[in-house]
Structures are given as structure tokens and as C-alpha cells.
């Protein structure tokens, strides 16, 4: 089977499935952050401890991302997406049924380990079914799964938690992940890939040996993901505790912000297709992220209402680069290494996010939100000289 052997509608349906399954996984992965206000108010947890609990899915992700990538390289996308979504749903149901916060945290960790399956598999599904001149756009669309998952979680989970408690709130990601498992089992077709014995030697070679290109992209992505993680984790609680917003209004703004962020990823992907470059736009986005986070820190320190608009702008900018890096890595690594390379990419990013949540929670508790925003502005600045030039050719 080749890319041209299935109809256009069927090929685009692969994108829809990849987007939906990864969105559902991100409702689980990032939804725990929207339990922070309830954990803080009802359970008496400080922001550092609540942030640690909310980061358990991200810690789970970093344990298994490369392993899931290896399974994708060996067994294909369909089985990985189906099994991973089903296991994520089971862990979410178990977390909702647990009595203690320690047990909840353990099941969130296990769910994150299962949810890691969607990252490499859905990325490979998109890259495998679309030609290079469309990959930036379609990967940008697929990458909207993260902000859409965050936005959907922000719209639903805080209200459920505030009205019915943590247990009921966790049933929502459980239900959507169960539906995703059924959809993947019925709809996914593994993209074409030549047999290993027929593949060119350069496609089978380890892309990490003899080149710093992938390592530099990973490093840049780590530096750029921290401001994104800080905003995703603490925007809701900042609006509620620092600006006096209700859970409903704060959740709605977070949802709107994530939809705008999704549009930003699509636009960045299309930008890369038009210019023929995946990495030059990343450099521009890093510069913009530094500026936006610095202005947010300053205006929040001055208690200016402009800071609300700036946190929206900063949230959109800081998510726009992810699809570009993901596409570049998949193209550079090739069909026999892209699962592991994408797993490595996500491992480094999610580990950074998991560490950032409790660390910046502690910074906020001691020094306040402006200090956390200011520190976040330094990291994309440090990423600028690390962004490599685009390779002359990709696999």
C-alpha cells in the first residue's frame, strides 16, 4: 500500500483519528492541573504539592515514551494507539475510584505511562500518510491536540471538581480515552513502510551518531516547553487567586486561549510548508516567546490589567513551535527511527514540564507569579543560539 493507494478522504481521516486520540490523551495528561484549585481549597494542599500531583501524568509519560516509540517502529501505529488509549482509560477510572491522594497520584502516573502511546504513534501516522509539501500543515493540525486537550479539560474538569469533587472530575478523561480506543481500533490503517531488507542503508542508520542535529532540536524544544508548561499549569489558578476570577470564567478563558494556540500551531505549520523550512520559524517563535513572557512578568508585577491579555498572547506563542520540531524530527530520523526519535523528543519535553510544575509552584509560593514569569522568559532566549539550520535533505 502507498500514499496514493487510498483516497484523499481516507487519508485525511487518519489525521482526524490522530488528532482525536491525542486530544483525548491530553485531556488526561493535562487535566490534572485543573484539579489544583480544588486540591488547594478543599484538601489543603499548597501549590507545590498540588503541582506535584498534577505532574504525575507527565512523569509517567517520560518513563515510557521511548519504549512506545520502539513498539511503533516494530509493530505499527494501530495497535499502539488502541492499546495505549484503552490502558489510559482504565487508569483514569482507577484514579477516580481511589480513596487516597497517594493512590490517585499512583494511577495518574500509570495513566501517563499509557497515554505516552499517542505521541509517537499519532505523529508517525500523520507523517506516513502525507507528502512532504503538506506535512507542516497536517502536523500543525495534529499538534493542536495538546492545546485542544488542555482547553477541553479546562472547560469541563474545573467545574466538575468544584461541583462534585475530584472523583467525578476524573471520570471525564476516563470516558473520552475509552472512546478513543474504540475509534483507533476501528479506523486506523498503518502507513506504508518498505521492508527493512529493502530500505536504503542511510534509513536504517542511527541518526544520532555523527550528527548533533537531532540533539540540538531536542535541547531547543526543552527550553521552549518550560514557559508553555508554566502557563498551562498555573494560568487557571493565577486568574482565580491573583485576579479573582470564578472557576467558570477562568476555565472559559483558558479554553479560548488553547483554541487560539491551536490556530497558532496550524499557522506555523503552514508557514514552514510555504518557506520550505521547519527550523527558521522556530527561531522567530523563540524570540517572540522571550518578549511576551518578559512583558507578562513586568505587567503582572505592576498589577496591570494588560497582563490578562499578555498571558493569552504568551500562551499562544509558546505552543506554536511544537509541531515544527516534531515534523523536522520525523523527517530527519526517517521511517525506521522516527518512533524512537519522537519518543525521545516527547520524553525530554515532558520531563521538563513535569519538573517545571512543582519547581515553579515553589517559586510562585515564595516569590510570586511575576518572578516565575520572568524566569520563564530567560529560557527561550537561551534557545536562540541552539536552533540549527535546516538540513539539506530529509529521509
Amino acid at each position: 500500500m502507498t500514499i496514493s493507494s487510498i483516497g484523499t478522504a481516507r487519508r485525511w481521516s487518519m489525521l482526524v483519528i490522530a488528532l482525536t486520540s491525542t486530544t483525548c490523551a491530553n485531556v488526561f495528561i493535562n487535566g490534572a492541573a485543573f484539579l489544583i484549585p480544588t486540591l488547594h481549597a478543599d484538601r489543603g494542599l499548597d501549590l507545590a504539592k498540588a503541582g506535584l500531583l498534577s505532574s504525575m501524568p507527565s512523569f509517567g509519560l517520560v518513563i515510557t515514551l521511548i519504549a512506545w516509540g520502539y513498539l511503533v517502529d516494530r509493530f505499527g501505529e494501530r495497535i499502539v494507539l488502541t492499546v495505549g488509549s484503552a490502558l489510559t482509560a482504565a487508569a483514569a477510572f482507577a484514579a477516580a475510584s481511589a480513596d487516597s491522594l497517594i493512590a490517585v497520584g499512583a494511577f495518574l502516573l500509570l495513566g501517563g505511562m499509557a497515554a505516552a502511546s499517542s505521541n509517537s504513534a499519532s505523529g508517525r501516522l500523520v507523517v506516513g500518510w502525507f507528502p512532504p509539501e503538506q506535512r507542516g500543515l497536517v502536523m500543525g493540525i495534529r499538534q493542536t491536540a495538546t492545546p485542544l486537550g488542555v482547553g477541553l479539560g479546562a472547560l469541563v474538569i474545573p467545574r466538575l471538581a468544584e461541583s462534585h469533587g475530584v472523583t467525578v472530575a476524573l471520570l471525564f478523561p476516563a470516558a473520552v480515552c475509552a472512546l478513543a480506543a474504540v475509534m483507533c481500533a476501528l479506523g486506523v490503517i498503518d502507513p506504508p513502510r518498505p521492508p527493512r531488507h529493502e530500505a536504503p542503508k542511510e534509513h536504517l542508520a542511527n541518526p544520532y551518531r555523527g550528527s548533533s542535529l537531532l540533539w540540538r532540536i531536542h535541547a531547543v524544544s526543552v527550553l521552549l516547553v518550560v514557559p508553555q508548561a508554566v502557563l498551562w499549569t498555573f494560568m487557571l489558578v493565577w486568574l482565580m487567586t491573583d485576579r479573582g476570577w470564578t472557576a467558570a470564567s477562568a476555565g472559559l478563558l483558558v479554553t479560548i486561549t488553547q483554541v487560539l494556540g491551536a490556530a497558532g500551531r496550524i499557522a506555523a505549520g503552514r508557514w514552514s510548508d510555504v518557506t520550505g523550512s521547519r527550523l527558521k520559524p522556530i527561531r522567530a517563535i523563540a524570540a517572540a516567546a522571550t518578549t511576551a513572557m518578559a512583558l507578562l512578568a513586568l505587567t503582572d508585577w505592576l498589577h496591570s490589567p494588560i497582563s490578562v491579555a499578555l498571558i493569552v498572547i504568551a500562551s499562544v506563542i509558546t505552543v506554536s513551535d511544537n509541531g515544527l520540531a516534531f515534523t523536522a524530527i520525523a523527517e530527519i530520523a526517517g521511517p525506521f527511527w522516527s518512533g524512537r526519535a519522537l519518543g525521545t523528543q516527547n520524553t525530554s519535553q515532558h520531563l521538563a514540564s513535569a519538573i517545571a510544575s512543582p519547581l515553579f509552584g515553589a517559586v510562585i509560593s515564595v516569590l510570586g507569579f511575576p518572578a516565575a514569569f520572568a524566569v520563564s522568559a530567560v529560557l527561550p532566549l537561551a534557545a536562540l543560539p541552539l536552533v540549527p539550520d535546516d538540513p539539506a535533505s530529509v529521509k
Side-chain angles (χ1 to χ4, degrees), residues 220 223-228 231 281-297 310 313-321 373-384:
V220 168
L223 292 170
L224 294 180
V225 82
V226 173
Q228 171 184 313
L231 294 175
I282 292 178
R283 188 176 290 111
I285 290 169
T290 294
T291 303
M293 293 302 299
L295 290 174
L296 173 60
L310 282 170
I313 294 170
S315 296
V316 173
I317 292 172
T318 56
V319 303
S320 297
D321 66 286
F373 297 148
V375 173
S376 298
V378 175
L379 300 179
L381 181 64
L384 282 171

Side-chain angles (χ1 to χ4, degrees), residues 106-390:
F107 286 120
L108 290 177
L109 180 73
L110 291 172
M113 293 171 66
S117 60
S118 69
N119 287 270
S120 297
S122 63
R124 274 272 301 266
L125 191 65
V126 169
V127 171
W129 277 122
F130 285 87
E133 63 271 15
Q134 291 182 316
R135 286 177 188 161
L137 173 62
V138 296
M139 186 64 85
I141 295 172
R142 179 266 176 199
Q143 288 293 100
T144 65
T146 303
L148 290 177
V150 173
L152 182 58
L155 191 64
V156 177
I157 291 175
R159 295 183 182 184
L160 290 177
E162 187 177 52
S163 303
H164 304 288
V166 171
T167 296
V168 173
L170 286 170
L171 290 176
F172 178 67
V176 297
C177 288
L179 290 174
V182 174
M183 181 182 62
C184 292
L186 297 177
V188 171
I189 301 173
D190 289 343
R193 185 173 60 164
R196 293 185 68 89
H197 66 274
E198 296 179 5
K201 183 180 295 185
E202 62 270 19
H203 284 196
L204 298 175
N206 187 337
Y208 290 95
R209 292 179 180 172
S211 173
S212 64
L213 185 58
L214 289 178
W215 292 114
R216 289 177 67 180
I217 296 173
H218 293 326
V220 168
S221 297
V222 165
L223 292 170
L224 294 180
V225 82
V226 173
Q228 171 184 313
V230 170
L231 294 175
W232 280 359
T233 303
F234 297 108
M235 180 178 177
L236 185 79
V237 72
W238 176 76
L239 288 168
M240 293 174 65
T241 62
D242 214 58
R243 291 293 183 265
W245 289 38
T246 64
S249 58
L252 179 60
L253 183 62
V254 171
T255 300
I256 293 171
T257 300
Q258 295 304 320
V259 171
L260 293 174
R265 292 189 180 203
I266 295 171
R270 181 57 181 160
W271 179 13
S272 76
D273 285 338
V274 171
T275 61
S277 170
R278 312 293 185 205
L279 299 176
K280 287 181 181 178
I282 292 178
R283 188 176 290 111
I285 290 169
T290 294
T291 303
M293 293 302 299
L295 290 174
L296 173 60
L298 176 62
T299 54
D300 188 37
W301 179 63
L302 295 173
H303 303 288
S304 170
I306 298 174
S307 60
V308 174
L310 282 170
I311 201 170
V312 173
I313 294 170
S315 296
V316 173
I317 292 172
T318 56
V319 303
S320 297
D321 66 286
N322 289 23
L324 303 177
F326 219 62
T327 307
I329 287 169
E331 291 177 333
I332 292 166
F336 295 95
W337 277 88
S338 57
R340 281 162 283 183
L342 293 174
T344 302
Q345 168 75 357
N346 277 296
T347 297
S348 58
Q349 285 191 300
H350 284 288
L351 180 59
S353 297
I355 294 171
S357 293
L359 181 62
F360 278 84
V363 171
I364 292 166
S365 296
V366 175
L367 300 175
F369 283 102
F373 297 148
V375 173
S376 298
V378 175
L379 300 179
L381 181 64
L384 282 171
L386 295 177
V387 180
D389 295 327
D390 288 275

Side-chain angles (χ1 to χ4, degrees), residues 26-166:
N26 276 284
V27 170
F28 175 83
I29 294 164
N30 298 289
F34 303 120
L35 300 174
I36 290 178
T38 299
L39 293 170
H40 183 56
D42 296 351
R43 303 290 183 94
L45 294 184
D46 60 32
L47 286 180
K49 291 179 180 177
L52 178 62
L53 184 67
S54 74
S55 70
M56 284 297 103
S58 292
F59 280 118
L61 255 73
V62 302
I63 296 172
T64 58
L65 275 165
I66 296 176
W68 280 116
Y70 174 78
L71 292 176
V72 174
D73 286 337
R74 291 298 301 271
F75 301 110
E77 292 78 2
R78 180 172 177 264
I79 188 170
V80 168
L81 284 170
T82 301
V83 172
S85 297
L87 291 175
T88 306
F93 276 116
S97 304
D99 294 326
S100 71
L101 287 179
I102 293 177
V104 171
F107 286 120
L108 290 177
L109 180 73
L110 291 172
M113 293 171 66
S117 60
S118 69
N119 287 270
S120 297
S122 63
R124 274 272 301 266
L125 191 65
V126 169
V127 171
W129 277 122
F130 285 87
E133 63 271 15
Q134 291 182 316
R135 286 177 188 161
L137 173 62
V138 296
M139 186 64 85
I141 295 172
R142 179 266 176 199
Q143 288 293 100
T144 65
T146 303
L148 290 177
V150 173
L152 182 58
L155 191 64
V156 177
I157 291 175
R159 295 183 182 184
L160 290 177
E162 187 177 52
S163 303
H164 304 288
V166 171

